[in-house]
Amino acid sequence: MAVAHAHAELDTVTDASVWSMTPEETRATLVEITRLKARAAEFEARVAEHADDQTLDTWAHQTRQRRPAALRAVKLGQALVTRSHVRAALAAGDLVVEQAQVIVEALAALPGDLDPGLVDKAERHLVAEARNHDARVLRLLGKRLLEVVAPDLVDAYEAEQLAKEEADALVAAKFKMRDDGHGKCHGTFTIPSFHGAALTKMLMAFTNPKHRTATEGAGAPRRPGPQALGRALCELIERIGDKDLPSTGGVGATVVVTIPLEVLEERLQQACLLDTGGKISPALARRLACEAGLLPVVLGGRSQILDLGRKRRFHTRAQRIAIALRDQHCTEPGCDWPPAMCHTHHDQPWAHGGPTDTEHARLLCPRHHARYHRRT
């Protein structure tokens, strides 16, 4: 009956003219409409609290709203059952829905064993603050809520929360990157806040005015933008030495570039091949040839010793790189595991007299390496 009455009242203003309203009248009317929407939202949440899954689906379908939106109303209604101060403020139009949701979320984040009287105090505090702050500021105040109601518990609780957030952040950490085939890589990543701050500091070190003036010349912008930070990331990658990184496949995280001696001496222009399968220009190869993290394999130049016979049990770094360049991937038919994830396998076991050289060695991924030794 109340809903039908509200519809009838709104019918009276359906065709009402608003063009003649003054700015003051417009502002006042908009404020009252917002209060009216909040009161209707409280009633909707209170009714939605009783909805089961079938009712929720039917409601979302008949009103052509997405199910998550309807579910938010249900969850708000469930929270308002125990949040009487929030419910009263929303029913009076003193809160908007976004503020109410922020408050109940902040209250739910309080320690579960907190005294009920302190929880009630926290609820009243946030409802009062909502008269002066929007949802964004309320969310910030909600994070410091314990300082207001239980300052003696703040330090221990904050340490516990930070430990949980850090653990969750490590679980959520991810990195995605793809090469577009036109000389550029694109990617996204998610890392913990600490590592993000550390990375920012590293990049800012490369973008400070003195460093940028030295590398880019006078007139370089003082405030780093996305492009400057992108170049800083490239410089950071180039400066990280393979000795500072864990080894993969018995070799440090080294990019191997095959460059003919004629190209190195600038007597020939020819693309240079990376052990990852990509190619780079001879100019870039020459620039990086002496940088950490990149090993030039000069064809026709002075080579390293690759055959140590029986003097060593394990293949040397130079041998592993040579084998990786030759085999390109796991040598088992149909397996394409890259060299960095493979083992160097003695064709004739070293314990049985096999030499530690490149001729009698090949790449095998861990699974095929283990399978080989199970057969022998």
Side-chain angles (χ1 to χ4, degrees), residues 21-30:
M21 295 175 67
T22 64
E24 291 77 12
E25 291 172 332
T26 300
R27 285 193 290 268
T29 303
L30 287 173

Side-chain angles (χ1 to χ4, degrees), residues 5 26 57 68 71 83 99 131 155 230 267 270 320 332 340 346:
H5 181 70
T26 300
D57 291 337
L71 186 59
R83 305 303 182 197
Q99 287 177 307
R131 298 191 185 101
D155 291 340
R267 292 185 282 113
Q270 176 182 315
R320 289 175 184 272
E332 278 292 300
H346 291 75

Side-chain angles (χ1 to χ4, degrees), residues 132-146:
N132 303 309
H133 303 294
D134 61 18
R136 183 185 63 84
V137 177
L138 277 180
R139 183 170 281 107
L140 297 176
L141 294 175
K143 287 181 177 294
R144 315 302 301 182
L145 192 54
L146 209 59

Side-chain angles (χ1 to χ4, degrees), residues 76-313:
L76 179 59
Q78 293 170 342
L80 293 182
V81 171
T82 56
R83 305 303 182 197
S84 58
H85 300 295
V86 179
R87 190 195 73 77
L90 189 61
D94 294 334
L95 294 177
V96 296
V97 173
E98 188 180 11
Q99 287 177 307
Q101 289 173 329
V102 167
I103 293 174
V104 298
E105 288 170 4
L107 295 172
L110 290 173
D113 58 350
L114 192 64
D115 182 87
L118 294 178
V119 176
D120 183 74
K121 179 182 178 181
E123 182 181 355
R124 287 187 280 108
H125 170 73
L126 285 182
V127 169
E129 291 293 335
R131 298 191 185 101
N132 303 309
H133 303 294
D134 61 18
R136 183 185 63 84
V137 177
L138 277 180
R139 183 170 281 107
L140 297 176
L141 294 175
K143 287 181 177 294
R144 315 302 301 182
L145 192 54
L146 209 59
E147 293 182 3
V148 177
V149 299
D152 54 321
L153 302 178
V154 168
D155 291 340
Y157 177 71
E158 185 176 44
E160 181 181 339
Q161 286 297 106
L162 286 172
K164 182 179 181 301
E165 289 178 0
E166 289 164 359
D168 292 343
L170 278 176
V171 172
K174 60 184 179 181
F175 179 85
K176 295 181 180 179
M177 186 175 69
R178 63 178 181 84
D179 194 308
D180 64 7
H182 299 286
K184 294 184 291 294
C185 285
H186 309 266
T188 59
F189 65 88
T190 300
I191 56 176
S193 297
F194 166 76
H195 298 88
L199 177 60
T200 300
K201 281 220 163 191
M202 293 177 189
L203 298 182
M204 294 301 288
F206 289 110
T207 59
N208 73 73
K210 288 184 178 180
H211 179 80
R212 296 187 67 190
T213 300
T215 56
E216 301 177 30
R222 296 185 64 83
R223 188 177 182 85
Q227 290 182 327
L229 291 172
R231 288 193 294 270
L233 179 60
C234 295
E235 189 169 354
L236 174 63
I237 293 170
E238 290 181 14
R239 283 175 177 258
I240 295 176
D242 63 340
K243 294 181 180 179
D244 300 322
L245 300 172
S247 63
T248 54
V251 182
T254 304
V255 176
V256 182
V257 56
T258 302
I259 176 171
L261 181 62
E262 295 84 358
V263 174
L264 186 63
E265 295 178 346
E266 300 187 48
R267 292 185 282 113
L268 178 68
Q269 292 296 314
Q270 176 182 315
C272 300
L273 181 66
L274 302 178
D275 63 338
T276 58
K279 294 181 179 181
I280 60 174
S281 69
L284 179 59
R286 283 191 290 267
R287 181 172 73 82
L288 297 177
C290 59
E291 294 286 345
L294 184 145
L295 178 69
V297 178
V298 183
L299 301 182
R302 183 177 179 181
S303 63
Q304 302 183 58
I305 298 174
L306 298 180
D307 187 354
L308 299 181
R310 293 279 302 164
K311 293 182 180 179
R312 290 179 62 107
R313 164 68 178 85

